[in-house]
Structures are given as structure tokens and as C-alpha cells.
């Protein structure tokens, strides 16, 4: 590298070019993936009750339709994360899109319960690739206000949930659940249609030593945004730091005597590169440098997923249980499907204020304060549900719970990729998401089962405990990431929480 050439990193190039048209294209594509995942998850609230009456399923069999999706996501999130970190982000999310679309569309033609279970499990396997799209999108976003743009990206999930609730309200009464499954697979097909225009992450490419390809993509971003790259030579984060260290004189600088040969300076020891080539990626995540944040993140993912999908399912399940557990109450009609669709539709809109709250807090208060405050507030909304409440108050309380848990879930998906270096970023988020899927698997089997058994108080206490523990774990995270650049390396010492 020539001494006269200044080095710049991918992050510095993105900041120099700013957020422009190119990032909007990336946002639209990744957002469509988020819409697809939200729709495939939301339809579980409608398909389960429909096939239960059609095929005379037990409550456990109905719950299994939801649980196998989460089981597939558990496997997929881990597997696709490894694929994306080893073979590229593009290869990771195209495979997941193919699996999701084919399995989702074929689910509409499932001849019996067994086939439906198998196909929905494959849908979950494909949906497990969601973290790949999150990391891919994140790696194109400039560091300033990254949190706000990630919240906007999360808004596509809300759009998907509302669209699915609207679709179910229109289709289920007349056409039935098979048509709902078919229509819900359309967003995944759009990912396949526009795939050839998606670029690889330049951050991933430069970590693989493909600087020419990374520079070509950065030049394309500059042309699309109508800006220019910084002057100098594209380099990795480690190369830039070594170059700066090499030319930085200190009080211990050794002056050469005539005829003395300069020895190569030792590499800086403040940073280390974590790569998963020599050991499994899971072992890297559990290395001494990453184990604390990894274990805490797993608990937070588990708690958020358990609470989020629990609140979604409880929106309909509490009403159904009130019909059977409190039959003396007037005005509760179990056969009124329109009421259930209306409640789910209304509850879906709770995610919009959740997004607004997270957007307002994530860069001002930071990731940790945003997550913890929302989780603790969610506990407050759940408290009155320890006892039986009127349908109107129940819907209102669940509306408040969903605002808080959706805001917390939004921020955890911003925070998770920010705490890992590039080499294991997608794997780290994928494994964390997989642990979250375990919460999704257990939620319908445990909590919803308790509601069906007229044990509402125990079910709500379980939610309270899980959410409270998650909030405490958020407070224990080692550092704040708001305003920090993404990193290819990791400090040998934890950054202080105040550093930005």
C-alpha cells in the first residue's frame, strides 16, 4: 500500500455516501422478506382453529401446527446463518426464499393433517433465514441514525401482520384457509423475482479478501446515490488500524542509527479477529470474548419471542377460553368468527405505536434503555390479566402489551447484529433467533395450553416471569451500541457502555 494513499473502510465509505436511493432499494427488498415472514407467522392464528374444526383435532394437535413452524425456524436460523457467513449473504437468503415459497404454496393443497404439519415445518425452515436479510440490510446502512432506519425496516413486519389480518378477515369467511395459505405465499415469490438485482454485502466481500468486488459495489452505490467514494484505498478495519499505528510516533519510538535495520513493528494487540474457519461458529460465539453477550442475547431472544407470539395467540385464545371457562357471561359467542378477526386486526395496529416509540427511543436513549423500559412496561400491562377481565378491557390490555413487546423485539433485532463482528454476525443473530424460536415452540404448547385448561392466572404469571427476566438480562448487557460503527474485529477488552 502506497504511503501517500489514505485508507478508508466500508463503514467510512457508507457514511461518506450517505443514505440514498440505493439504500431505499435494499430496504424495499429486505422489507418484502420481512412482510413474507410476518404473514406466514400471523396466519397461524387463523389456520389452526379452522383445521381443528375441519379435521376434529385436539388442542395439542392444533398447537403442534404452530410449534412445528417454530421448530423449523430454530433449525433454519442456525443453518442459514452459517451458510451466509461462509458463502455470502445472497446465497443465504435466496435458498430460504425458495424453501419458504414452495412449502408455503404447497401447504394450501395439504390433503390431511400430517402433510400440513410437514409442509409448515419446511415453511419454518425457510423463515429461519430472516436474520440473514436483517444482517444484509444492516451492512448497507451508514452508522449515523442506523437505529432509526432499522426501526423503519422493522415496520415492514407490522405491514405484514396488518395485511395478513385484513386478508384473513376478507378470505376466511368465504374462501377458507387454503386460499389464505396460497395468497400468503406471494411475498416470498417476489423475493425470487427480484433476486438477480441484489448485490452482495461489500463488508462480507472485503472480509473474504475480495476487495475488487467490494469496491465495485461501493462504486455502484455512489453512482446510484449521486455521491462519491472517499479518496484513497479501500481496506479492512484491521489494515486501517495497522496503517495508522505504523505512522504514529510515540515517546518510545526508536531512532535508527546509521546502518541499523528497522525491525517490523509488532501488530497491535488491542484488536483481534475472530474467524470461524478453524473451529465451529458456535464455539466462536461461546469464546471468552463473546460468551457474555451471547448468553444474555439468547435469554432476551427467548423472552421476546415467547412474549410476542404469546400475546398474538392470546388475543384469540383468551376470548375462546372465556367462553368455556366463564359460560355465565352474556354476549360472548364462540361462533362469532368476525369478532376474532376484528380483535386480531385491531391488535395488529398496536405495532405501529410500538414502532414509533422504538424509533423515538432507540438512538436517543440507546438500545439497552429502550428494550428494558418496554419489557418492564409490558409486565405492568399484563398484571390485571392475572384475574378475569371483560372482553373490552382484555383487548385493551393486550393492545398495550403488544405495543411494548413489539417495540422491544424491534430493538433487539437492531442490537443483536451490532454486537458481533462481521465474521460471525449472521451466525450470531441466527443462533439467537433460533433460541427465540424455542420460545415460540413452547409458547403455544405451555402457555396457551394453560389458558385452554382455564388456568389463566398461571399462564399470565409465566409470561410475567419470562418478560421480567428478559428485562433484567438487557440491563446486564456489557455495552451500548448506539452510534457505534459495525466492526470486523472485536476488542480484547469490553468497550465501556458510555462509548459511542
Amino acid at each position: 500500500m502506497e504511503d501517500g494513499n489514505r485508507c478508508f473502510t466500508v463503514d467510512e465509505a457508507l457514511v461518506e455516501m450517505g443514505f440514498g436511493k440505493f439504500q431505499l432499494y435494499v430496504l424495499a427488498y429486505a422489507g418484502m422478506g420481512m412482510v413474507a415472514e410476518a404473514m406466514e407467522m400471523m396466519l397461524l392464528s387463523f389456520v389452526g382453529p379452522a383445521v381443528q374444526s375441519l379435521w376434529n383435532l385436539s388442542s395439542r394437535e392444533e398447537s403442534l401446527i404452530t410449534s412445528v413452524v417454530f421448530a423449523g425456524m430454530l433449525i433454519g436460523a442456525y443453518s442459514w446463518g452459517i451458510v451466509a457467513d461462509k458463502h455470502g449473504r445472497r446465497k443465504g437468503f435466496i435458498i430460504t426464499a425458495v424453501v419458504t415459497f414452495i412449502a408455503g404454496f404447497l401447504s394450501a393443497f395439504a390433503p390431511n393433517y400430517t402433510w400440513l404439519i410437514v409442509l409448515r415445518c419446511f415453511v419454518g425452515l425457510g423463515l429461519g433465514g430472516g436474520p440473514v436479510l436483517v444482517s444484509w440490510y444492516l451492512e448497507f446502512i451508514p452508522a449515523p441514525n442506523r437505529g432509526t432506519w432499522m426501526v423503519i425496516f422493522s415496520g415492514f413486519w407490522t405491514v405484514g401482520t396488518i395485511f395478513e389480518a385484513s386478508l384473513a378477515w376478507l378470505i376466511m369467511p368465504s374462501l377458507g384457509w387454503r386460499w389464505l395459505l396460497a395468497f400468503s405465499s406471494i411475498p416470498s415469490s417476489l423475493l425470487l423475482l427480484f433476486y438477480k438485482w441484489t448485490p452482495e454485502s461489500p463488508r462480507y466481500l472485503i472480509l473474504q479478501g475480495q476487495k475488487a468486488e467490494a469496491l465495485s459495489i461501493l462504486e455502484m452505490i455512489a453512482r446510484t446515490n449521486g455521491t462519491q467514494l472517499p479518496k484513497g484505498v479501500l481496506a479492512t478495519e484491521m489494515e486501517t488500524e495497522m496503517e495508522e499505528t505504523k505512522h504514529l510516533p510515540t515517546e518510545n519510538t526508536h531512532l535508527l542509527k546509521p546502518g541499523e535495520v528497522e525491525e517490523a513493528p509488532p501488530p497491535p494487540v488491542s484488536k483481534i479477529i475472530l474467524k470461524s474457519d478453524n473451529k465451529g461458529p458456535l464455539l466462536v460465539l461461546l469464546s471468552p470474548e463473546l460468551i457474555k453477550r451471547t448468553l444474555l442475547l439468547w435469554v432476551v431472544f427467548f423472552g421476546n419471542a415467547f412474549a410476542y407470539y404469546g400475546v398474538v395467540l392470546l388475543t384469540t385464545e383468551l376470548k375462546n377460553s372465556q367462553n368455556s371457562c366463564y359460560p355465565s357471561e352474556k354476549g360472548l359467542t364462540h361462533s362469532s368468527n368476525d369478532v376474532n378477526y376484528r380483535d386480531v386486526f385491531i391488535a395488529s395496529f398496536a405495532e405501529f405505536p410500538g414502532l414509533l416509540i422504538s424509533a423515538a427511543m432507540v438512538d436517543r436513549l440507546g438500545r439497552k434503555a429502550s428494550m428494558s423500559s418496554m419489557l418492564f412496561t409490558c409486565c405492568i400491562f399484563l398484571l390485571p390479566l392475572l384475574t378475569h377481565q371483560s372482553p373490552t378491557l382484555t383487548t385493551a390490555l393486550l393492545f398495550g402489551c403488544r405495543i411494548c413487546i413489539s417495540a422491544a423485539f424491534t430493538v433487539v433485532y437492531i442490537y443483536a447484529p451490532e454486537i458481533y463482528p462481521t465474521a460471525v454476525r449472521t451466525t450470531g443473530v441466527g443462533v439467537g433467533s433460533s433460541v427465540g424460536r424455542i420460545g415460540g415452540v413452547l409458547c403455544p404448547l405451555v402457555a396457551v395450553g394453560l389458558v385452554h385448561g382455564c388456568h389463566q392466572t398461571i399462564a399470565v404469571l409465566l409470561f410475567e416471569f419470562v418478560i421480567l427476566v428478559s428485562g433484567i438480562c438487557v440491563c446486564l448487557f456489557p455495552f451500548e451500541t448506539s452510534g457505534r460503527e459495525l466492526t470486523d474485529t472485536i476488542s480484547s477488552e469490553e468497550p465501556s457502555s458510555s462509548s459511542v
Side-chain angles (χ1 to χ4, degrees), residues 147-188:
T148 301
W149 282 109
M150 285 296 291
V151 171
I152 293 173
F153 167 65
S154 301
F156 284 89
W157 175 279
T158 303
V159 171
T161 59
I162 293 176
F163 186 68
E164 184 67 24
S166 306
L167 202 61
W169 203 351
L170 292 173
I171 290 178
M172 288 291 287
S174 56
L175 299 177
W177 61 274
R178 294 185 184 274
W179 282 95
L180 181 65
L181 285 171
F183 280 121
S184 298
S185 67
I186 292 176
S188 296

Side-chain angles (χ1 to χ4, degrees), residues 29 189-198:
Y29 186 86
S189 68
L190 296 179
L191 293 178
L192 304 179
L193 185 63
F194 295 102
Y195 172 74
K196 66 179 182 179
W197 288 288
T198 60

Side-chain angles (χ1 to χ4, degrees), residues 336-363:
S336 179
N337 290 330
D338 288 341
V339 173
N340 287 338
Y341 294 138
R342 183 202 64 191
D343 289 349
V344 175
F345 182 76
I346 291 173
S348 298
F349 276 93
E351 301 205 9
F352 274 124
L355 283 172
L356 293 176
I357 291 172
S358 56
M361 298 173 65
V362 69
D363 281 326

Side-chain angles (χ1 to χ4, degrees), residues 37 69 72-73 76-77 80 92-93 95-101 103 120-131:
E37 182 176 350
V69 176
M73 294 176 79
W80 304 136
F93 63 69
I95 299 173
T96 65
V98 170
V99 173
T100 303
F101 170 67
R120 295 315 294 175
C121 185
F122 274 100
V123 169
L125 185 68
L127 292 177

Side-chain angles (χ1 to χ4, degrees), residues 432-474:
S433 181
S434 293
V435 175
R437 305 313 175 191
I438 297 175
V441 171
L442 295 178
C443 180
L445 293 176
V446 179
V448 176
L450 288 172
V451 174
H452 282 178
C454 298
H455 302 297
Q456 178 176 327
T457 299
I458 299 176
V460 174
L461 279 174
L462 179 60
F463 279 111
E464 291 274 18
F465 174 76
V466 171
I467 297 171
L468 183 63
V469 170
S470 299
I472 294 172
C473 286
V474 168

Side-chain angles (χ1 to χ4, degrees), residues 375-392:
L375 289 169
F376 294 144
T377 305
C378 185
C379 289
I380 296 174
F381 276 113
L382 276 175
L383 281 175
L385 292 176
L386 288 170
T387 59
H388 170 61
Q389 305 295 337
S390 68
T392 301

